[in-house]
Amino acid sequence: MSTENEGTAVPPAPSAPPVPVETPAASAQSAAPEGGAPTAQLPAVPPSAPGAPEQSYASMGAGAPEAHGHAPGASGAPVSAAEAGWPPPPPAVPSYADGGGSGAGGWGSSYEQPAPKPKNGRGGLVAAILVAALVAGGVGGGIGYSLAKNNDNSTDSTTVSAPSGSGDVKRASGTVANVAAKALPSTVTIEAESTSGSGGTGTGFVFDTQGHILTNNHVVADAVDGGKLTATFPNGKKYDAEVVGHAQGYDVAVIKLKNAPSDLKPLTLGDSDAVAVGDSTIAIGAPFGLSNTVTTGIISAKNRPVASSDGSASSKASYMSALQTDASINPGNSGGPLLDAQGSVIGINSAIQSSSSGGLGGTSQSGSIGLGFAIPINQAKHVAQQLIKTGKPVYPVIGASVSLEDGTGGAKITEQGASGSAAVTSGGPADKAGLKPGDVITKLDDQVIDSGPTLIGEIWTHQPGDVVKLTYTRDGKTHTAEVTLGQRDGDS
């Protein structure tokens, strides 16, 4: 399934996975070539950066979720992930929750510097709402005055007022108010601006006492090459920050505060593997720029295959086996924490599914329809630690190119790899396990695989060196093979 990273729409993804939404500022995806279906490269060891189309969740968008979209080559021949420089994105998927990649904010309100006030759109909508509120208030006041005037002598009032000086209201641990009160001071609103002045708003949270903040890659993408990055706490204190490392494929990034305060309180990290469908969730972020917003919901599903992207032609897709939640998530929530009822982080809000081509106040950003997707914290934690240690992500691979087309009944190994290379890398993990072009992988351990993007997301929940069991079909017969995952360093 594909979704939007809170802003960009993408082509539909496999039956199981959701998809991302496009960002307002994001450019339209390149049109897919006529002819062969795009293919995604699961890099060999070491593989070249894949580069096929990807699904994107509209950090949560409309229709099928959206994905970071890569289009096949102009020749019309199938393009593998390696050819595209990354595992290609499937059809329209969810978009990033912040709605943007370059030129748009990650999971947030995108903007350009200088930002003129809109004549219509969100500003106009807000103005209309305020006017309506004032008018309603005036009418209510008039009616109230009239009723009071006609009942000056009434003595049958039954209202009861709380005694003054009764002290602060105490809220039990585990209540949403208590969890929010403890978590909000450790969340930040991130503003990323490129050297050209474009950028956007997203969210992040304190990862450790050294000043590291965990967020989404697409939230900080604009500031990676010499741009400006700031993080603002709920108490109004604002800090300049720098990108320590970012992982496009995982959609995870770590930034560090400059002159970080000594009293930082990292949020407690939970166990995303222990989460159950129906568990309560609390999301914190800056939807449409409204910092420190708290919303609630439940875990709607686990292991949801998602390919997300900002929808721009230059964007690469991110793949995840996501936690799905119905907590309200909108552009600007990207990178924010998804908490459990105890206040522990179980995921990073990253993408949304949207059903609208228009967003709040008629803008191009789409809003929440109750289908949000978060990167499981167990995976994000490992990626963050790797980024802090080396500055670069590490990806597990099987050394084979798979089709990103839906309807293949699984992840089909293509007949040809990127740029005419072999679809199965000689001496790679898949080759050693006996897999060949044309084989259709239908399971990874006990997880059903219904498409190439689903396989990629599931492989990336593991570590290089892990041994997994692949179930595949060849000539109508089912086979199994144990594969020791290889390794690729970096995003390209």
Side-chain angles (χ1 to χ4, degrees), residues 123-221:
L125 177 63
V126 172
I129 293 175
L130 291 177
V131 172
L134 290 173
V135 172
V139 174
I143 294 175
Y145 172 77
S146 174
L147 292 175
K149 183 177 179 181
N150 294 333
N151 292 278
D152 280 341
N153 299 322
S154 173
T155 58
D156 58 355
S157 175
T158 57
T159 59
V160 177
S161 298
S164 58
S166 57
D168 295 335
V169 176
K170 294 183 179 180
R171 294 174 175 83
S173 61
T175 61
V176 174
N178 182 273
V179 169
K182 291 182 178 179
L184 277 168
S186 297
T187 62
V188 297
T189 296
I190 298 172
E191 291 184 7
E193 183 181 333
S194 68
T195 53
S196 65
S198 63
T201 302
T203 307
F205 59 92
V206 178
F207 185 67
D208 59 27
T209 56
Q210 285 70 51
H212 290 111
I213 303 294
L214 189 54
T215 185
N216 282 148
N217 171 75
H218 72 268
V219 168
V220 303

Side-chain angles (χ1 to χ4, degrees), residues 162-488:
S164 58
S166 57
D168 295 335
V169 176
K170 294 183 179 180
R171 294 174 175 83
S173 61
T175 61
V176 174
N178 182 273
V179 169
K182 291 182 178 179
L184 277 168
S186 297
T187 62
V188 297
T189 296
I190 298 172
E191 291 184 7
E193 183 181 333
S194 68
T195 53
S196 65
S198 63
T201 302
T203 307
F205 59 92
V206 178
F207 185 67
D208 59 27
T209 56
Q210 285 70 51
H212 290 111
I213 303 294
L214 189 54
T215 185
N216 282 148
N217 171 75
H218 72 268
V219 168
V220 303
D222 282 311
V224 168
D225 297 317
K228 182 180 179 182
L229 196 64
T230 62
T232 305
F233 285 85
N235 61 8
K237 291 185 178 180
K238 189 173 187 176
Y239 298 85
D240 288 332
E242 60 185 353
V243 178
V244 172
H246 60 106
Q248 171 73 53
Y250 294 122
D251 195 24
V252 171
V254 175
I255 66 175
K256 188 173 184 180
L257 304 178
K258 295 180 180 180
N259 302 314
S262 59
D263 60 348
L264 289 175
K265 295 182 179 179
L267 289 183
T268 300
L269 304 184
D271 181 0
S272 51
D273 289 339
V275 170
V277 173
D279 281 351
S280 297
T281 58
I282 300 169
I284 298 179
F288 294 103
L290 300 174
S291 301
N292 316 316
T293 294
V294 176
T295 55
T296 63
I298 62 169
I299 291 294
S300 304
K302 295 179 62 177
N303 304 315
R304 185 70 78 188
V306 171
S308 60
S309 167
D310 63 17
S312 65
S314 60
S315 171
K316 296 177 181 178
S318 299
Y319 296 89
M320 66 186 92
S321 182
L323 294 176
Q324 180 182 326
T325 180
D326 66 349
S328 181
I329 294 175
N330 290 283
N333 275 110
S334 281
L338 183 68
L339 309 169
D340 62 18
Q342 286 69 50
S344 298
V345 181
I346 54 175
I348 302 177
N349 301 317
S350 179
I352 59 174
Q353 177 78 41
S354 173
S355 62
S356 170
S357 58
L360 182 64
T363 68
S364 60
Q365 288 182 318
S366 299
S368 174
I369 58 171
L371 292 174
F373 305 95
I375 303 165
I377 196 60
N378 288 6
Q379 178 183 25
K381 175 183 176 180
H382 178 82
V383 175
Q385 291 172 334
Q386 183 68 41
L387 293 176
I388 292 172
K389 181 179 180 181
T390 68
K392 293 183 179 181
V394 171
Y395 297 92
V397 298
I398 64 170
S401 295
V402 295
S403 172
L404 295 181
E405 265 197 330
D406 196 3
T408 56
K412 183 178 181 179
I413 298 179
T414 57
E415 296 298 329
Q416 192 175 62
S419 303
S421 63
V424 177
T425 305
S426 178
D431 184 37
K432 290 180 179 178
L435 275 72
K436 299 179 180 180
D439 289 348
V440 179
I441 299 171
T442 57
K443 272 188 176 184
L444 190 154
D445 291 332
D446 294 327
Q447 184 68 37
V448 174
I449 302 299
D450 63 355
S451 69
T454 300
L455 176 64
I456 296 170
E458 195 59 35
I459 287 175
W460 285 359
T461 64
H462 293 76
Q463 304 303 321
D466 284 354
V467 177
V468 298
K469 184 174 79 171
L470 295 181
T471 301
Y472 63 95
T473 59
R474 177 189 298 169
D475 299 327
K477 296 181 179 179
T478 300
H479 306 269
T480 61
E482 286 193 342
V483 176
T484 300
L485 299 178
Q487 176 175 318
R488 187 190 82 215

